[in-house]
Every structure is written in structure tokens, then in C-alpha cells.
Amino acid sequence: MSTSVPTPAGRLRGLRPDWLNNPKVWRTEILAGLVVALALIPEAISFSIIAGVDPAVGLFASFTMAVVISVVGGRRAMISAATGAVALVIAPLNREHGLGYLIAAVILAGIIQIALGALGVAKLMRFVPRSVMVGFVNALAILIFMAQVPEMLDVPWAVYPLLAGGLALMVFFPRITKAIPAPLVSIVILTAITIAAGIAVPTVGDKGELPSSLPAPGLPDVPFTMDTLTTIAPYAFAMALVGLMESLMTAKLVDDITDTHSSKTRESIGQGIANIVTGFFGGMGGCAMIGQTMINVKVSGARTRLSTFLAGVFLMVLCIVFGPVVSDIPMAALVAVMVMVSFATFDWHSIAPKTLKRLPAGEIAVMVITVIVVVATGNLAIGVVVGSVTAMIIFAKRVAHLARVTSVTDPDGTTVVYSVTGELFFASSNDLVGQFDYNDGPDRIVIDLSAAHIWDASSVAALDAVETKYKQRGKTVEIIGLNDPSADLHGKLTGELTSH
């Protein structure tokens, strides 16, 4: 009986990920990267205009962010690039102090993101309720659609049949084959039609001039003084928070879509590294791009880091090598792609009458508030924070009424036992004091907490207030049934929370 010895090449193949040996996956990832790169170009140029910088600054940022995050990020197949949220944050800094300060702020924001990632800020994602997540997704879909509306107003009539044709191709082409992403087919066909027929419609080239060379590394052109640091610090901190919030929410969304887990801590640190690199290459910084991520993951079916890496590489290749051709792509083709993405992203099940009938009113309110705030502000991070705080208030109000006090008097009439049931924290403990009878009844009071749990100092203070009220009436109080954590907290704080 002979045993085969693996060759060096065979051992090497065994160390590689499975998808490297799968031609179908390769094709999917490469084509997905190409589609995303095409969609990134007008977006990056638009965000550059918002930030008040040259289009090349936004395109360079999209290139470096995508390439770097594909290596150091925690969520596979997620796209990071220049974004509107970041552009809005840093636009005032660029307007008042210039590009050098903007670049310096991007680098500092990256450092802050690394620090926040190392401190475990990603763990806060567990406190984002599902209703906020649904509201976030639906608001995102609305924002993606609203961003396309200007491209459909005051345009030549030919834009509308091109837009309709692009949507039709993306709906029906997958029924023929899914080997080639329908958005790519739509972009190629519409571009060919407009060039061949000489149709005059807005194109990518109308958005701005594409760069003709790769970005070069360098230091930001600012004085390295404390004044510079104090000037850029507020903008850098705001950019770091907004970028992390959008990136972590997007990562969670992709986790749900792909039914896989990703390291949010690694993603946080990776976003910081990507922004630092982007700053040193003269880019405007960025974070996860939800629209492009949906194109990559949901529309094109990408699942690996290769698509993210190639999206950045293809972006520069398209700009530098195929700039004239890319400039001729009609905006109608890219608008059709983003409209399809917005419809695919929206959680239609969440607003179905059946779903709304079954959901608690509080969760519906949280979802609606999240959508309204995001759409009104145009900032996903603000909407998530407001939605989460609203959910916590509703939860606290609901749980506050779960603490109950019942009393039983001994047959001999010498002792009354009060049984406290529920979770005692700042909200529920406020009602606790009023549930005891201080004037009537026996002189010996027993408070049984075996069915309760003390969570905070407010609850200990409430129990102290109950004891004080009874003692003022000459009655004795005994607290029994505390579990170990509650007993430890009560023992440390009782009698120490008031000055009298």
C-alpha cells in the first residue's frame, strides 16, 4: 500500500482560502469590483464637491480606503471610500483653513479611530436595537434614492428612456444568466447606445475631471503646532465618530445579509489605519459606503476581500487608463443602478400591514423616529444615536412598572412582610418608596428582596429612604433575600448616599 506525499505546490494550495481555487468565485469578485468602481467615480466626485476639494482628492481617497481596508478591515466584501457624511463634517474646515488642515484632520481622525477601536467602542453595537437597525436600513434606502433625484430633474428627455431601460435590464437580465452582474451589463449597454447614437445626456465626465496619475505620499502642508492641533481636533473627533458609526452599522448589516460574523474591533482599527494612509496620500478620508457595499454584496453577490481590493484598483485604472471612455458613461446608467440598490435595500417586510399589526407601538415609534431623523439630517450616525436613546427611554419606561410590592401581615400582628418583585434601577426605584404603608400596621417591617435585583445606586437610595421613613415612626426594618451582587452593592452604598 503506497501513500502519496503532498508536493510543495499541493501544500501551498492547502494553505490558501478555498475561494482562491474556485474560478466561479473569482469571476464574481472581479466583476463585482468592476461594477463598484464604476459606481464609485461619480459618487467620489460629488462628495469632493461637497467637501470643497478637487475631484482627484475624493477619487484618491476612495482608492486608498478600499485597498487598505480590504487588508486590515474586519468585514469582508464591505466597501470603504470617500463618503458624504465625512465630506459634510470636514467641509467647514477646508473652507476656513484650506486643504492642508483637512488632510491633517483626516490623519488625526484615523488615530482617534484606532484608539477608540482598541478601547472597545465596537462593543457598543450590542446596544443598538433591531428597530433602530431596521429604521437605519430604510432611511439609508431613502437617502440613496433621494441622492439620485437631482440627476432626474431638468435633464434631456432621453435620460428617462435610458433610465427605464437600465432598470429593465437589471430586473430581467438575471433571469437569463447570473454569471455577469446585471448592473455591469446595464452600464455597458447604455454607454454603447448613447455613444453609437450620439445621444446628448449628462455623463460622468460632466461631474469633474478624472486624475491622470497615481497619488503620491506626503505630509500635510500645515505648521506642526498646538494651534493646528486645537483647530483640527474637533473636526477629527467628529469625523472619527461619524465614520465609525456608519462603518460598524454597515458591517452589522452585511453580517445579517451574508449570515456571517465579523470582528467589529478589527473593523474599527482598520478604518483608522485606512484613514491615516489616505491622509498621507492626500485623500479626504472616508468610511464604509453603504450604497456601494449593497451593490457589491447584495446585487453582485461578492463575499471576499478581493472585490473590495479590486474596487479600489479598478477605480484608478478606469480613471488613469480608460478616463476618456469612463467620462462618456451616461449618468442615467449609474442612477439606474443606485435606484435599484435603494429598492433592494429597503426592508419592505417591515412596513407590511401584517408586520405593523404585530409589532409593539414602541418599536414602530423607534423605527419611524430613526428614519425621520436620518432623512431630515442626512446623517446616519445622528439617526442611530437618537433612535437608540429613544428605544432605551421606552424600554426604561416599560420596565419601570415591572417592580411590584405586595404585603402580608403575620397572624400575630407583630410583623408585616413586604415582598418586592422585579428589577430595581433608577426608573423603577422612583416608584418604590410610594408602595409602602408607613403609618398603619405593626412596628416590625421585613422587606423581602429574594425576587428582585438591585442594579444601581438609585435603588439603594430608595431602600434607604424607605428605612428612614419607618425609623422616623419608631419602626424597625429588616431587609432579607438579597442575592450576592445585590448584597454587595447594597452593603457598599447603604447609608452613604445622603448627607443626613
Side-chain angles (χ1 to χ4, degrees), residues 88-452:
L88 288 169
V89 169
I90 59 177
L93 178 62
N94 178 66
R95 186 169 56 249
E96 295 171 16
H97 299 280
L99 181 62
Y101 281 81
L102 183 152
I103 300 300
V106 170
I107 296 172
L108 180 58
I111 295 171
I112 294 171
Q113 286 178 328
I114 292 174
L116 290 174
L119 290 172
V121 71
K123 294 177 182 176
L124 295 176
M125 287 302 296
R126 72 182 67 178
F127 296 106
V128 178
R130 183 187 177 279
S131 52
V132 173
M133 190 69 190
V134 173
F136 166 84
V137 170
N138 291 344
L140 160 66
I142 294 170
L143 287 180
I144 292 174
F145 182 82
M146 288 175 60
Q148 312 314 310
V149 172
E151 303 295 339
M152 296 183 275
L153 300 176
D154 299 321
V155 292
W157 68 269
V159 167
Y160 301 110
L162 287 172
L163 181 60
L167 291 171
L169 279 168
M170 284 183 284
V171 170
F172 295 109
F173 186 80
R175 299 182 183 182
I176 300 171
T177 178
K178 293 184 179 180
I180 304 174
L184 180 59
V185 174
S186 177
I187 292 169
V188 171
I189 290 178
L190 294 188
T191 303
I193 290 173
T194 54
I195 294 175
I199 302 173
V201 291
T203 64
V204 171
D206 296 331
K207 288 289 183 180
E209 188 176 348
L210 302 180
S212 57
S213 62
L214 289 170
L219 294 173
D221 184 18
V222 295
F224 293 92
T225 62
M226 187 57 67
D227 286 341
T228 299
L229 181 61
T230 55
T231 299
I232 67 173
Y235 297 95
F237 190 70
M239 176 185 164
L241 290 180
V242 168
L244 277 186
M245 180 71 76
E246 293 211 20
S247 299
L248 294 176
M249 288 296 289
T250 305
K252 191 172 186 299
L253 179 59
V254 177
D255 287 353
D256 294 340
I257 292 172
T258 60
D259 197 24
T260 57
H261 175 72
S262 63
S263 171
K264 305 303 183 295
T265 297
R266 178 176 172 180
E267 184 61 42
S268 302
I269 296 173
Q271 288 289 329
I273 295 171
N275 273 305
I276 292 173
V277 173
T278 296
F280 281 121
F281 276 90
M284 59 181 274
C287 61
M289 287 195 79
I290 307 173
Q292 271 63 23
T293 297
M294 290 300 99
I295 293 175
N296 196 46
V297 175
K298 202 163 187 178
V299 178
S300 301
R303 292 292 184 270
T304 76
R305 298 178 184 274
L306 180 62
S307 57
T308 307
F309 176 80
L310 290 178
V313 172
F314 283 149
L315 175 64
M316 280 294 100
V317 172
L318 289 169
C319 291
I320 297 171
V321 181
F322 300 102
V325 177
V326 172
S327 296
D328 288 334
I329 295 175
M331 283 301 300
L334 298 174
V335 169
V337 172
M338 297 311 294
V339 168
M340 184 61 69
V341 168
S342 71
F343 276 90
T345 301
F346 196 93
D347 186 351
W348 297 101
H349 176 73
S350 67
I351 61 170
K354 270 186 181 179
T355 305
L356 294 177
K357 285 180 182 178
R358 294 174 181 175
L359 275 179
E363 294 203 23
I364 295 174
V366 169
M367 181 175 68
V368 172
I369 288 171
T370 303
V371 171
I372 291 173
V373 173
V374 170
V375 173
T377 63
N379 191 315
L380 293 162
I382 293 176
V384 170
V385 171
V386 172
S388 298
V389 170
T390 303
M392 290 176 187
I393 292 172
I394 292 173
F395 173 76
K397 187 176 180 182
R398 187 184 304 161
V399 175
H401 300 294
L402 296 181
R404 293 284 182 269
V405 178
T406 56
S407 63
V408 177
T409 303
D410 278 358
D412 59 7
T414 60
T415 304
V416 60
V417 178
Y418 286 94
S419 296
V420 181
T421 304
E423 306 300 317
L424 301 182
F425 66 112
F426 63 90
S428 60
S429 60
N430 287 333
D431 297 331
L432 188 66
V433 179
Q435 297 189 52
F436 290 83
D437 183 1
Y438 302 99
N439 296 315
D440 298 327
D443 290 336
R444 182 172 181 269
I445 311 299
V446 176
I447 301 176
D448 184 2
L449 295 174
S450 56

